[in-house]
Amino acid sequence: MNRLAGSQSPYLQQHAANPVDWWPWGEEAIAEAKRRDVPLLISVGYSSCHWCHVMAHESFEHEGVAALVNELTVPVKVDREERPDVDAVYMTATQAMTGQGGWPMTVFATPDGEPFYCGTYFPRDAFERLVRAVSDAWRGQREAVLEQSAKVVEAIRQIAAKPQANPMHEGVLDAAAQSLVKSYDKEHGGFGGAPKFPPHMNLLFLLRHYQRTRDDEVLDIVRYTCERMARGGMYDQLAGGFARYAVDGTWTVPHFEKMLYDNALLLRVYVQLHRIAGGGTARRVAGEVADFLRRDLHDGHGFISALDADTDGVEGLTYAWTRAQIDEVLGEIDGAWARYLLEVTADGTFEHGASVLQLPEDPLNLERWLDIRQRLLAARDARPQPGRDGKIVAAWNGLAITALVEFGQVYGDPQAVQLAIDTARYLADVHIVDGRLRRVSRDGVVGTPAGVLEDYGAVAEAFCAVHQATGEGEWLALAGRLLDVALERFADPAGGFFDTADDAEQLVSRPADVTDNATPSGLSAIAAALVTYSALTADVTRREAAERALATVAMVAATHGRFTGYACSVGEALLSGPYEIAIATDDRNDPLVAAAWWHAPPGAVVVAGPPDAPGVPLLEARIQRDNLPTAYVCRNFVCDTPVTALEDLVAGLG
């Protein structure tokens, strides 16, 4: 019997027809393991994960392996995107035992859920041997297994212990920036070596750091990294959008899955880079990523999670090109030009003589390039397409909403702003149930997993962004209620926050990771929302809560900036003020509004609307001087003289 068919999770549904007798995570699986007195096999992954597919094809679809697993364990399948709390606990155990982590994650645990053997991908023969060895140990060396599980659980709890609190002051942020400078890859951009992930949160931090320090080295790092990422194979040169990461150190060959969270965060990076430093590539990529989000990831309700790495079980089948395929679409003359432009070589840059398209430099004949790009894209669209993970994740949609508001406000794109508003409405109407946030939905139906801290933080920050875009008090009130829940249910009396609520399912350890990973940590996300909300409302208690949260990560940030980028970007906002910019006007398209968004200092909030607009604290008692649109620039709740001239506003934000 397989119990996954009714799941909302695309990842679990991918395994519904396996001969492995999968159970979803929950008390029933644990009770079954206790009843049978066998270990739990906890397999964690996500729908667009290439190596998850490989292990599934090799092992979980194999009748012999399945029979062995069913006989000797209670197998449990977990979607890490749906249950990040479960993933966090067992990933901590895996990293503690092996020194590394990743997906698929393979964990053997006692019937109580305490892990005693952890790993990631195993080839079929090795996996079969491992299942037998674990079963033999459970039956014949029970005491040693339980001793091992106790050590692992204690290690998890020790790792989860928060570091000593220290204010995130200017010196911490300067040290964090320098730690990034030291790990910078001067030849190819980015930080560290292969595999190379897009360092979006670090780049956001460095852009804000540059605004404070005017350190040209820092800006050069961001500019060069963004240029190299956008010109390599990790960026889709035909349709826009970034893949999850590059398998090499040169941004050439990606793992082809495209994740919502990466593209939302990178959209913010390229918008801010263009706003601060100019550059045609940054502006082009920002527009293309925004188009990718609207066209390929929005399902009419919200933004889906991902496009798969594989097509029909083959990685990169949709995206890679041979020289012959290029010529077949374009003909000999245009084909030769395109192959040179896009670095499609005879040997190929990927597999089997195929290449991943790159764009090392802008073509001199832009009109010809756009025509060729469209023809290649049309041909590619006729190929089999990668699978789609239609799951809508609250936190990731929050990131996308904030990014689209920034894009739309900076570039005057009302359609982008409207899409952000519509998506926020969906989250408010569907994902908030009885005052609490649910993590996932699909096809307009909300799921059962409870929201974790990153959901509350990212969605509250998004609601604050929509409040700024619309001047409507409802969104600020919604953000405030989510923050109330976070402070009541997630806050740690000793400082900082836990990733799960105090009334959530009790796991072997209550996760509380202070470091950013693929997305902002829950702590970083909630701190960002608290700072933004406090700037919009003059709520000092919310600001103080953010400062206490950041204090728990400051010691890590000072030496390991790569793992605290979003938290450090919030720290830069606090050092900046952040600025509170209110524009009293009946015309939300007034040039003062556009200038405020374009010249905004780190973390600044911008609200425009008529004086004393209901539910908009920043517009209280903001009169229009001489009946002209009037800008009020404040910092730490102290305001400069109101101005009506555009040049005076820009000077006040410099």
Side-chain angles (χ1 to χ4, degrees):
M1 175 181 177
N2 197 296
R3 302 162 183 81
L4 306 184
S7 171
Q8 275 193 322
S9 162
Y11 178 62
L12 267 58
Q13 288 184 352
Q14 287 174 355
H15 294 270
N18 289 170
V20 173
D21 187 15
W22 292 113
W23 294 67
W25 174 266
E27 289 297 327
E28 290 184 357
I30 291 174
E32 177 68 5
K34 291 178 179 178
R35 183 187 71 79
R36 290 178 51 197
D37 190 28
V38 295
L40 292 163
L41 164 61
I42 304 169
S43 176
V44 186
Y46 57 102
S47 71
S48 58
C49 164
H50 170 70
W51 288 102
C52 299
H53 298 327
V54 172
M55 190 165 178
H57 296 324
E58 290 180 347
S59 296
F60 303 144
E61 296 172 7
H62 188 277
E63 294 287 349
V65 176
L68 191 69
V69 167
N70 295 338
E71 177 187 356
L72 301 179
T73 74
V74 169
V76 178
K77 182 58 78 171
V78 179
D79 183 339
R80 66 168 292 266
E81 297 173 346
E82 189 175 70
R83 290 301 303 265
D85 51 340
V86 176
D87 175 66
V89 167
Y90 292 112
M91 182 57 72
T92 301
T94 301
Q95 291 171 334
M97 290 193 73
T98 69
Q100 59 186 9
W103 300 276
M105 178 165 51
T106 306
V107 175
F108 292 90
T110 70
D112 290 318
E114 297 184 347
F116 58 85
Y117 190 90
C118 306
T120 52
Y121 162 78
F122 292 96
R124 188 179 75 199
D125 290 346
F127 182 63
E128 286 184 290
R129 291 194 298 272
L130 178 60
V131 172
R132 289 192 177 94
V134 164
S135 178
D136 289 345
W138 179 252
R139 288 178 298 188
Q141 303 173 51
R142 181 74 57 93
E143 186 174 332
V145 170
L146 293 176
E147 182 179 346
Q148 171 73 0
S149 69
K151 290 179 179 177
V152 175
V153 170
E154 179 59 26
I156 295 172
R157 291 170 179 162
Q158 290 293 327
I159 292 170
K162 294 182 175 61
Q164 180 179 347
N166 182 46
M168 188 174 273
H169 50 68
E170 183 175 329
V172 169
L173 295 169
D174 291 345
Q178 283 306 303
S179 75
L180 286 168
V181 171
K182 290 177 182 177
S183 63
Y184 174 58
D185 180 349
K186 294 181 180 179
E187 183 177 1
H188 301 296
F191 306 98
K196 192 170 278 186
F197 290 81
H200 27 56
M201 289 172 280
N202 295 326
L203 298 177
L204 284 171
F205 161 51
L206 291 178
L207 284 169
R208 288 185 173 183
H209 184 74
Y210 169 77
Q211 287 182 278
R212 173 170 63 87
T213 64
R214 298 298 165 181
D215 184 339
D216 288 335
E217 181 182 20
V218 164
L219 183 59
D220 288 342
I221 286 172
V222 178
R223 185 189 286 115
Y224 185 66
T225 297
C226 286
E227 186 80 13
R228 290 302 302 266
M229 287 194 302
R231 295 200 176 279
M234 198 182 73
Y235 185 66
D236 186 341
Q237 304 298 342
L238 301 184
F242 286 89
R244 177 71 193 96
Y245 65 92
V247 301
D248 49 56
T250 62
W251 311 108
T252 302
V253 177
H255 249 312
F256 290 90
E257 66 264 37
K258 292 180 181 176
M259 312 301 297
L260 170 61
Y261 52 77
D262 286 321
N263 285 281
L265 289 163
L266 285 165
L267 176 56
R268 294 184 71 182
V269 169
Y270 282 89
V271 168
Q272 299 308 324
L273 175 60
H274 181 239
R275 186 176 68 81
I276 292 167
T281 300
R283 177 63 184 95
R284 172 178 63 83
V285 171
E288 290 173 357
V289 172
D291 287 344
F292 165 72
L293 290 174
R294 328 187 226 213
R295 181 189 64 242
D296 293 342
L297 293 188
H298 203 276
D299 73 348
H301 300 294
F303 293 96
I304 66 170
S305 297
L307 303 182
D308 207 331
D310 297 357
T311 301
D312 296 341
V314 179
E315 186 183 14
L317 179 66
T318 300
Y319 299 104
W321 295 81
T322 64
R323 291 166 62 94
Q325 288 171 331
I326 293 283
D327 290 349
E328 182 181 357
V329 174
L330 300 177
E332 184 178 346
I333 296 175
D334 281 349
W337 190 75
R339 286 189 274 107
Y340 172 79
L341 184 69
L342 298 168
E343 294 200 339
V344 179
T345 66
D347 294 333
T349 57
F350 180 48
E351 296 174 349
H352 311 299
S355 293
V356 182
L357 303 187
Q358 302 177 75
L359 191 66
E361 58 186 28
D362 289 331
L364 295 177
N365 189 335
L366 182 60
E367 184 176 351
R368 185 182 186 188
W369 159 238
L370 293 176
D371 173 67
I372 282 176
R373 182 187 189 201
Q374 185 56 44
R375 289 156 64 190
L376 289 174
L377 181 58
R380 197 182 79 180
D381 287 344
R383 295 176 173 180
Q385 297 298 303
R388 296 164 58 85
D389 186 327
K391 178 174 74 272
I392 291 172
V393 177
W396 305 352
N397 273 255
L399 296 175
I401 290 165
T402 300
L404 283 171
V405 167
E406 291 181 358
F407 174 85
Q409 294 294 104
V410 166
Y411 295 122
D413 185 335
Q415 292 181 334
V417 174
Q418 188 59 54
L419 185 59
I421 296 169
D422 293 344
T423 306
R425 172 58 59 197
Y426 175 78
L427 292 181
D429 291 347
V430 175
H431 277 249
I432 298 178
V433 180
D434 297 328
R436 302 290 287 273
L437 196 57
R438 298 279 182 88
R439 173 131 177 113
V440 296
S441 67
R442 190 177 181 193
D443 297 328
V445 179
V446 73
T448 56
V452 294
L453 185 63
E454 70 163 329
D455 295 305
Y456 281 84
V459 174
E461 187 178 19
F463 287 168
C464 287
V466 173
H467 169 74
Q468 294 174 73
T470 62
E472 295 171 1
E474 171 195 7
W475 299 107
L476 189 62
L478 282 168
R481 288 198 284 273
L482 292 180
L483 293 175
D484 287 342
V485 174
L487 290 168
E488 178 184 356
R489 294 292 188 178
F490 292 81
D492 182 352
F497 289 86
F498 290 102
D499 290 329
T500 55
D502 57 4
D503 57 353
E505 177 186 353
Q506 298 300 300
L507 304 172
V508 296
S509 176
R510 190 177 178 190
D513 193 353
V514 299
T515 58
D516 299 322
N517 199 303
T519 58
S521 70
L523 183 139
S524 297
I526 205 70
L530 287 165
V531 169
T532 302
Y533 183 85
S534 69
L536 290 166
T537 60
D539 187 334
V540 177
T541 61
R542 297 293 191 271
R543 179 188 177 95
E544 291 172 345
E547 291 172 340
R548 289 194 299 272
L550 293 177
T552 65
V553 73
M555 290 186 66
V556 178
T559 53
H560 298 91
R562 286 180 65 182
F563 306 107
T564 57
Y566 209 71
C568 290
S569 73
V570 180
E572 290 287 357
L574 283 171
L575 278 187
S576 176
Y579 280 66
E580 307 119 26
I581 308 167
I583 301 170
T585 178
D586 295 323
D587 180 9
R588 297 184 55 78
N589 295 315
D590 188 88
L592 286 176
V593 180
W597 281 93
W598 185 264
H599 295 282
V605 296
V606 181
V607 173
D612 294 312
V616 188
L618 281 189
L619 289 173
E620 290 181 10
R622 305 298 197 193
I623 64 171
Q624 291 182 271
R625 299 180 64 187
D626 302 324
N627 291 320
L628 295 173
T630 304
Y632 294 78
V633 177
C634 311
R635 188 179 184 192
N636 296 325
F637 316 121
V638 177
C639 298
D640 298 336
T641 302
V643 298
T644 58
L646 189 64
E647 58 270 22
D648 292 336
L649 171 60
V650 173
L653 299 176

